[in-house]
Amino acid sequence: MEGTKIATRDGFGEAIVELGRKNKDICVVDIDIGKSCKTGAFAKELPEQYLNVGIAEQNGAGVSAGLATAGKIPFVVTYAVFGSLRMCEQIRQEICYPKLNVKIACSHGGVTPANDGASHQSIEDMGVLRTIPNMTVVMPADYYAAKKLVAKAAELYGPVYLRFTRDAIPVIYDENQEFEIGRAVTLREGGDIAIIANGDTVRLALEAEEKLSSQGIRAKVLDMHTIKPLDKEAVLDCLRGIGRIITVEDHNILNGLGSAVCEVAGEEGTGHVKRIGIQDQFGQSAPYERLLELNGITTENIVETAKSMLK
């Protein structure tokens, strides 16, 4: 399936059914958006483990907290912009403060909602939620990563925010790839520059590595699927062994992956980091690839940034 394009929300939809079959404590709290967030199959096959609370995100968070206190493992499902911002107070007070076992599973992360417009493009969600204590923040890079990381989230006790893409993105892993929350995956080895990406931008990092390699530049590529807890050791290895890092993300460059990496670099007191991502601005109603281009989230910009850092 490598090279095939599938949205990570599809991987979530399949994974949650598989998990629900095996564990009757797994349940879905749907915010009346099952078609878009791919929970329809779960509702059909496992109706006793499914609850649709309607268009009421804050209520969904509260209901999920209640289910968790009764020993259930609820996945509350909605769009990223609503799951992070509209539900934020309930996530902080009712889920993270008591450290309840609730998973917030959100599709339409970043600018992948594209033509839905700026109001539906969640560009600050991971940054907002990573600042809340007890929260784990994960964004899979492809279909297989989504399936594996959803399963890992179900095993991990405590609040987890899972961010998925609306648009189809290339499959880069095979079904045997293993993942661990909080541990980056090294996709390419190199000693000249490190490219750390997550989610739908990992494919751009890999494309950039190929172009740099053809020009004699060896780039290390990391899939930092978990930005909290960040794999600090992987970042430190890049800082100490290479000294130059480019971060790439479909998220505001403020308080996302780039900021998390810069925090490590700042505390270490070494290295040079350049951030590529949403340039602290709202999106527009435009095709997905065009929105990435408007923010410099492109293979070409990664390549040029790498070459400028090596001068």
Side-chain angles (χ1 to χ4, degrees):
M1 287 181 66
E2 187 174 348
T4 302
K5 288 189 174 183
I6 312 175
T8 56
R9 59 176 171 160
D10 290 297
F12 164 70
E14 292 179 23
I16 197 67
V17 173
E18 294 169 9
L19 292 169
R21 287 180 190 142
K22 297 174 185 176
N23 185 349
K24 296 305 178 183
D25 286 331
I26 298 280
C27 53
V28 165
V29 178
D30 204 336
I31 314 296
D32 202 31
I33 208 162
K35 183 177 180 181
S36 289
C37 293
K38 304 301 180 181
T39 55
F42 189 98
K44 185 176 181 179
E45 183 172 334
L46 303 165
E48 294 183 357
Q49 295 164 245
Y50 175 84
L51 178 64
N52 188 340
V53 299
I55 305 173
E57 290 85 359
Q58 293 153 321
N59 183 43
V63 168
S64 298
L67 287 167
T69 65
K72 301 298 182 182
I73 307 172
F75 281 72
V76 56
V77 182
T78 184
Y79 286 175
V81 71
F82 305 132
S84 60
L85 300 179
R86 189 170 294 170
M87 285 165 47
C88 190
E89 182 182 356
Q90 286 71 30
I91 290 171
R92 182 186 189 274
Q93 301 295 95
E94 299 174 20
I95 296 173
C96 287
Y97 180 62
K99 197 177 180 180
L100 295 180
N101 198 22
V102 176
K103 318 305 171 187
I104 300 115
C106 292
S107 180
H108 292 53
V111 296
T112 61
N115 290 328
D116 288 346
S119 64
H120 278 57
Q121 293 160 17
S122 190
I123 61 170
E124 61 284 284
D125 52 320
M126 292 194 292
V128 168
L129 295 182
R130 86 177 183 97
T131 65
I132 303 177
N134 294 327
M135 178 63 80
T136 295
V137 180
V138 177
M139 186 177 188
D142 78 348
Y143 164 80
Y144 284 122
K147 294 191 72 172
K148 293 289 183 72
L149 287 165
V150 168
K152 290 292 183 180
E155 295 172 2
L156 179 70
Y157 187 88
V160 180
Y161 179 65
L162 292 153
R163 189 198 211 215
F164 307 113
T165 57
R166 176 193 183 278
D167 274 30
I169 55 176
V171 173
I172 59 176
Y173 290 109
D174 65 47
E175 60 183 344
N176 298 315
Q177 176 69 43
E178 292 300 322
F179 295 87
E180 183 179 340
I181 289 177
R183 291 288 300 274
V185 178
T186 301
L187 292 166
R188 299 287 188 275
E189 291 286 2
D192 294 322
I193 197 153
I195 306 170
I196 302 178
N198 70 357
D200 50 316
T201 65
V202 174
R203 48 129 181 160
L204 301 176
L206 290 170
E207 290 171 6
E209 184 275 336
E210 290 183 6
K211 292 192 174 186
L212 289 167
S213 179
S214 69
Q215 299 175 46
I217 298 170
R218 298 174 304 113
K220 183 172 186 174
V221 178
L222 296 181
D223 172 7
M224 192 67 73
H225 51 74
T226 308
I227 71 166
K228 184 186 179 185
L230 189 76
D231 188 344
K232 291 184 180 180
E233 288 305 313
V235 176
L236 289 171
D237 283 347
C238 293
L239 289 168
R240 294 166 182 168
I242 300 172
R244 293 170 292 274
I245 297 174
I246 300 170
T247 62
V248 192
E249 60 193 312
D250 182 0
H251 185 277
N252 196 335
I253 58 170
L254 302 179
N255 207 21
L257 170 65
S259 289
V261 170
C262 284
E263 288 161 15
V264 177
E267 290 178 353
E268 180 69 3
T270 187
H272 183 196
V273 181
K274 286 282 190 179
R275 296 173 295 165
I276 293 175
I278 307 296
Q279 299 299 302
D280 195 25
Q281 62 188 8
F282 288 106
Q284 302 173 39
S285 182
Y288 164 57
E289 295 288 349
R290 175 59 177 153
L291 291 171
L292 293 179
E293 181 184 343
L294 288 170
N295 283 277
I297 309 172
T298 64
T299 300
E300 293 73 23
N301 192 30
I302 298 170
V303 170
E304 291 306 312
T305 301
K307 289 163 69 175
S308 70
M309 292 177 75
L310 288 164
K311 286 182 180 178

